[in-house]
Amino acid sequence: MLSIALAGKPNAGKSTFYTASTMADVDVANYPFTTIDANRGVSYVRTECPCLERDERCNADNCKDGKRYVPIELIDVAGLVPGAHEGKGLGNQFLDALTNADAIVNVVDASGGTNEKGEPVDVGSHDPLEDIDFVEEEMDLWLAGIVDRNWEGVERASRSPDFDLDDELTEMLSGFGAGPTEIATILRDLEYPDDPIQWDDDHRESLAREVRATTKPIVVAANKIDVAPDENVERLLDLDKPVIPTTAEGELALRRAAENDLVAYDPGDESLEIGADVSDAQREALDDLADTMAEWGGTGVQDALDHAVYELLDHLTAYPVEDAAKWSDGSGNVLPDAFLLPHGSTPVDLAYTVHSDIGDGYLHAVDARSSREISDEYELEEGDVIKIVSTS
Ligand SMILES: Nc1nc2c(ncn2[C@@H]2O[C@H](COP(=O)(O)OP(=O)(O)O)[C@@H](O)[C@H]2O)c(=O)[nH]1
Ligand SMILES: [Mg+2]
């Protein structure tokens, strides 16, 4: 499963974002517990279900009126403060929690109501732009520290006649998500001495920064838009980085209200419908939230996760079926499964994602929309419905 980590300074709203995003308001069929452990849970990205092209909506657990929710893992990382890579605040153990993450949502308090350490100050008195770079910086320097600590091993290996820098670095950094292709691309763009013994701290730091940028892309959640001065949000949106305005607290309120049938709202909707059974106070709060959502296009929480998966990680959703005509599995369930795969994936990759036995037994694949056989090299597209013919 793809894994997204929430990073940022204390009190930015990470835990609120996490709680809202991991609430099981869609049925979590394969995952009996939405919380994997204290700060690791199942969340979803939202996409359009192919069932929208058919007469009837599908009956998949994670599809609601054609809004399809595909599971990902979400990690709530405890607050980072400047100097964390040197052990400040809660330090390295929390940076280590980012090791397995495929992408990062950097939650920033856009209201300017917390200082650089996350302590409350008057709203608007801290510039949230200052909170963006330090998270990147802490991650870069944390990884640089890891490269430093492992460099002696590289130097030792370089004395062997069959030493290969690419192989050595791939071995060191594959745990962070840098495979042979990523390492080759990074080394091509980097200037460095041939002999690892000649590398200095700057060489290792440049390597670490590139590896971090490649393996841990970041989307900024400009949070607390419900109270933030518009000007702050606009300045964040003007940055040359992906930024999504969010109100985590608004999303949490909506999910709870939807659970209690006070509103009609599905995660990622741009607006909400207020039900009849709300109190005056509830109506007032929901009206305010509706205004904020109208201004920014929703609460943004779902958008931030979608952006991480579909844009930063460049993934697509593919739907394997057994019956190409009915788009169903063997028991008649329409579009029962959805899988996230990187662009460039083929039907063979999809087969292996479903099950290694299906991959091993792969014979050919059929595009269920056209009922035509597709080549093994066909590159899957968003929303593809594919029948895999396999010996197992
Ligand atoms: N106004 C507002 N407050 C928020 C929002 N998100 C979080 N908060 C509040 O900010 C405080 C810190 O939130 P928390 O999620 O614990 O932050 P964390 O330390 O980053 O995990 C809490 O009082 C939240 O209720 C938001 O979107 N708007
Ligand atoms: Mg927290």
Side-chain angles (χ1 to χ4, degrees), residues 10-11 13-16 76-79:
N11 282 323
K14 298 177 299 295
S15 296
T16 309
D76 179 18
V77 179

Side-chain angles (χ1 to χ4, degrees), residues 262-265 271-275:
L262 299 175
V263 298
Y265 171 79
S271 58
L272 64 138
E273 271 172 53
I274 303 176

Side-chain angles (χ1 to χ4, degrees), residues 180-228:
T181 331
E182 285 81 15
I183 293 293
T185 310
I186 289 166
L187 286 180
R188 199 180 322 117
D189 297 335
L190 216 61
E191 280 192 31
Y192 58 90
D194 287 338
D195 182 355
I197 295 164
Q198 306 294 326
W199 282 49
D200 59 23
D201 286 348
D202 289 343
H203 293 118
R204 286 186 286 272
E205 191 179 306
S206 307
L207 171 71
R209 286 186 193 277
E210 287 306 316
V211 170
R212 199 284 305 156
T214 308
T215 61
K216 312 272 177 256
I218 299 176
V219 55
V220 172
N223 195 35
K224 309 196 187 181
I225 48 171
D226 51 313
V227 289

Side-chain angles (χ1 to χ4, degrees), residues 5 21 64 95 102 171 200 242 255 263 283 326 342 347 356:
S21 305
K64 197 172 167 201
L95 285 160
D102 296 299
E171 198 179 311
D200 59 23
R255 297 239 188 162
V263 298
R283 179 176 301 278
K326 296 199 183 108
S356 58

Side-chain angles (χ1 to χ4, degrees), residues 51 56-63 68 328 331-336:
C51 73
E56 277 180 44
R57 303 291 73 82
C58 71
N59 50 0
D61 289 332
N62 289 333
C63 180
R68 184 83 187 208
S328 69
S331 329
N333 300 306
V334 176
L335 297 167

Side-chain angles (χ1 to χ4, degrees), residues 4 62 99 117 126 202 305 314 318 358:
I4 310 288
N62 289 333
T99 301
K117 292 195 205 121
H126 175 78
D202 289 343
L305 296 175
D314 201 20
I358 310 262

Side-chain angles (χ1 to χ4, degrees), residues 251-273:
E251 178 74 8
L252 184 58
L254 281 180
R255 297 239 188 162
R256 289 188 172 145
E259 220 174 43
N260 295 315
D261 292 324
L262 299 175
V263 298
Y265 171 79
D266 295 315
D269 285 354
E270 290 191 3
S271 58
L272 64 138
E273 271 172 53

